[in-house]
Amino acid sequence: MEPAKTGAVSGCLVWVIAFSVLCACLFPAAMVAGSITSTVTGDSVARILGPVLCPEGTTAEIFTYETTSTDSNGFETPSTAFEMRCVDESGQIVKDLGPTYAFIWTGLLGAVGLVLSAALAFFLAAPAGALVARLFQKKPKA
């Protein structure tokens, strides 16, 4: 193989490894952040996603209510449900999105985590490749 092709292949391999390592950290962190922020800061998420998901002339609102869920042992436990509703000026519900907004928000933050992983891997691939080359460099015999 020519040195240019070898360098390109090894550079791509270093990028893939760096991307995999970064993605293993950033993607789950982004998904957890999306899950938490979709409920804790639901009104902020509604302001961001409302113009995209709701019809024109309506406002997105987060509606919460008490419900029950079944735990791993089959027992019902109290829980809180979150839904996004598109409401017009008179207060009528035009569109009920249910919990869909949370899945969309979590997916968007997950995509941001992937893009951030790719960008960081791009910038860290050259230093990481130089470090690996230095570690595996053969030392001359004395």
Side-chain angles (χ1 to χ4, degrees), residues 6-142:
T6 304
V9 170
S10 65
C12 288
L13 184 61
V14 168
W15 181 87
V16 167
I17 292 169
F19 175 74
S20 299
V21 169
L22 289 168
C23 200
C25 298
L26 293 178
F27 183 71
M31 297 297 281
V32 168
S35 298
I36 292 170
T37 58
S38 67
T39 56
V40 175
T41 61
D43 292 332
S44 298
V45 174
R47 279 193 297 274
I48 294 170
L49 293 180
V52 178
L53 298 176
C54 290
E56 193 172 327
T58 60
T59 307
E61 293 180 358
I62 303 298
F63 178 72
T64 60
Y65 59 92
E66 297 299 319
T67 186
T68 59
S69 64
T70 307
D71 65 11
S72 59
N73 296 322
F75 298 109
E76 286 191 354
T77 59
S79 65
T80 304
F82 297 84
E83 293 183 352
M84 180 186 275
R85 295 179 177 173
C86 302
V87 181
D88 63 9
E89 293 176 6
S90 66
Q92 295 285 27
I93 298 172
V94 176
K95 188 176 183 182
D96 188 358
L97 296 166
T100 306
Y101 83 97
F103 296 119
I104 293 171
W105 179 250
T106 304
L108 283 174
L109 288 186
V112 167
L114 288 175
V115 169
L116 189 60
S117 295
L120 283 172
F122 179 75
F123 290 115
L124 295 176
L131 178 67
V132 169
R134 190 177 309 144
L135 291 174
F136 289 108
Q137 186 179 24
K138 293 184 180 184
K139 295 181 182 178
K141 293 183 180 181

